[in-house]
């Protein structure tokens, strides 16, 4: 088949339409972007002023000019973990493992990227965390870091980080100190001291409990002694005789066989005879 025959079979303008279609597909691919869940985007105007700080694009499908670029970053809450070597108040090196939760300000994502770059975690967040951790940990002794001050330290680091990052378009939500590692000799000494303090508290508790029980028993015995003294003083001969008469009357009503002799023995009480 000759070239003339091919040209006669190909529709006129076919090449032009193919070129237009290819260009259209290319421009469409460059003009559209889909932002995923938990993400936000800002436009970089290649032929304009760079990052557009006026608008942040949310999740979904978006159309833009083909010569622009959409920069997409996560805007949901994220976390990073780090291990830092810091000095305590007495100059001892302490290794602190921690995690921090943060998220960019959605409406200021453009300002954040424009001023700090796309890698703003490394440029902004890491230095702030290290500075805050060194500042806070440096106020405490190793013993305080190891035991009772963990919650206080977390809150103080959070306050420091938030102060450093104020007006920096990055929100820090929480700081968690996961582990504080001390040199083995220091850790052993602290654990021994804490154990001894716990044993001392337990011993003091047992002593206090025994003293309270002894005091209770003494008060109870004194109360019984007073009661017996009062009762003995109130039991006169006449009262005893009256009690004996009451008992005789109760026995007389009993169905058991007996003989009641009205009178008194040496004790002044009625004499009761019976086979029961």
């Amino acid at each position: 088949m000759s070239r003339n025959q091919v040209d006669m079979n190909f529709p006129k303008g076919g090449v032009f339409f193919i070129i237009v279609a290819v260009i259209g597909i290319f421009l469409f691919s460059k003009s559209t972007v889909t932002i995923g869940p938990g993400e936000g985007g800002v436009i970089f105007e290649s032929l304009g002023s760079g990052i557009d700080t006026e608008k942040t694009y949310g999740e979904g499908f978006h159309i833009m000019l083909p010569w622009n670029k959409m920069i997409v970053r996560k805007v949901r809450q994220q976390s990073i973990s780090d291990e830092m070597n810091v000095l305590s108040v007495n100059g001892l090196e302490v290794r602190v493992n921690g995690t921090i939760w943060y998220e960019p300000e959605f409406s200021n994502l453009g300002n954040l990227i424009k001023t700090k770059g796309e890698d703003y975690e490394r440029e902004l967040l890491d230095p702030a965390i290290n500075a805050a951790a060194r500042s806070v940990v440096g106020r405490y002794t190793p013993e305080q870091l190891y035991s009772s001050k963990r919650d206080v330290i977390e809150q103080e680091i959070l306050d420091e980080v938030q102060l450093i990052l104020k007006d920096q378009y990055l929100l820090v939500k929480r700081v968690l100190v996961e582990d504080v590692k001390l040199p083995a000799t220091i850790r052993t000494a602290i654990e021994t001291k804490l154990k001894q303090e716990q044993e001392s508290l337990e011993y003091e508790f047992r002593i206090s409990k025994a003293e309270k029980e002894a005091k209770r028993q003494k008060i109870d015995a004194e109360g019984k002694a007073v009661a017996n003294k009062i009762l003995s003083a109130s039991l006169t001969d006449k009262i005893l005789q009256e009690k004996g008469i009451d008992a005789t009357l109760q026995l007389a009503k009993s169905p058991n066989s007996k003989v009641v002799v009205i009178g008194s023995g040496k004790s002044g009480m009625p004499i009761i005879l019976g086979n029961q």
Side-chain angles (χ1 to χ4, degrees):
M1 184 180 294
S2 66
R3 181 176 179 181
N4 291 335
Q5 289 176 321
V6 173
D7 292 339
M8 292 178 61
N9 293 334
F10 198 84
K12 293 181 179 181
V15 175
F16 174 76
F17 286 118
I18 291 175
I19 294 174
V20 170
V22 170
I23 293 174
I25 293 172
F26 175 78
L27 292 177
F28 180 79
S29 65
K30 290 292 184 179
S31 302
T32 61
V33 63
T34 300
I35 299 178
E39 296 179 337
V42 294
I43 288 181
F44 177 78
E45 298 175 347
S46 303
L47 303 180
S49 57
I51 297 292
D52 179 11
T53 60
E54 299 298 322
K55 183 177 181 181
T56 303
Y57 294 82
E59 302 171 359
F61 180 80
H62 302 280
I63 298 176
M64 60 184 180
L65 295 175
W67 50 83
N68 290 337
K69 176 185 176 183
M70 180 74 78
I71 300 175
V72 179
R73 295 304 310 271
K74 294 179 180 179
V75 293
R76 64 176 182 268
Q77 181 172 285
Q78 305 161 68
S79 67
I80 58 172
S81 298
D82 196 8
E83 183 177 86
M84 298 162 284
N85 292 326
V86 295
L87 298 180
S88 63
V89 69
N90 55 2
L92 180 69
E93 186 175 77
V94 179
R95 183 172 296 178
V96 178
N97 291 334
T99 299
I100 187 168
W101 282 266
Y102 71 97
E103 64 182 51
E105 291 184 9
F106 178 82
S107 60
N108 285 307
L109 183 61
N111 287 314
L112 177 61
I113 295 176
K114 190 178 186 69
T115 57
K116 304 303 177 183
E118 294 185 51
D119 192 15
Y120 50 77
E121 289 94 347
R122 183 176 61 84
E123 297 292 336
L124 184 62
L125 192 58
D126 285 349
I129 296 172
N130 280 272
R134 285 180 169 83
S135 175
V136 172
V137 173
R139 305 169 191 167
Y140 295 97
T141 64
E143 183 176 352
Q144 291 171 325
L145 295 172
Y146 189 75
S147 55
S148 61
K149 294 292 184 179
R150 188 72 59 87
D151 294 341
V152 176
I153 292 170
E154 290 176 350
Q155 185 59 49
E156 289 185 1
I157 293 176
L158 176 61
D159 293 340
E160 289 273 351
V161 173
Q162 290 176 337
L163 182 62
I164 294 172
L165 296 180
K166 185 179 180 181
D167 300 325
Q168 298 293 321
Y169 317 116
L170 195 61
L171 303 175
V172 176
K173 300 298 189 66
R174 185 186 174 191
V175 171
L176 175 64
V177 176
E178 298 170 337
D179 190 23
V180 176
K181 297 180 180 178
L182 305 175
T185 54
I186 301 298
R187 186 176 66 251
T188 301
I190 291 174
E191 290 174 348
T192 301
K193 182 180 178 181
L194 292 175
K195 182 179 180 181
Q196 291 173 347
E197 290 177 351
Q198 183 64 31
E199 291 174 349
S200 177
L201 290 174
E202 292 178 357
Y203 180 71
E204 291 177 1
F205 173 76
R206 289 196 298 268
I207 291 176
S208 176
K209 184 178 179 181
E211 290 176 346
K212 290 180 179 179
E213 177 63 19
K215 186 176 180 180
R216 186 195 65 79
Q217 291 178 357
K218 180 181 178 182
I219 293 173
D220 186 49
E222 290 175 349
K224 290 180 178 179
V226 172
N228 290 334
K229 184 177 180 181
I230 294 173
L231 181 60
S232 297
S234 65
L235 292 176
T236 63
D237 293 340
K238 291 184 178 180
I239 292 176
L240 291 173
Q241 289 177 355
E242 182 179 352
K243 295 294 184 181
I245 294 171
D246 290 339
T248 302
L249 293 174
Q250 293 298 324
L251 287 171
K253 297 177 182 179
S254 174
N256 297 325
S257 61
K258 69 270 181 182
V259 176
V260 180
V261 179
I262 304 300
S264 63
K266 293 181 180 181
S267 62
M269 298 296 292
I271 298 174
I272 303 172
L273 304 173
N275 58 0
Q276 296 290 336

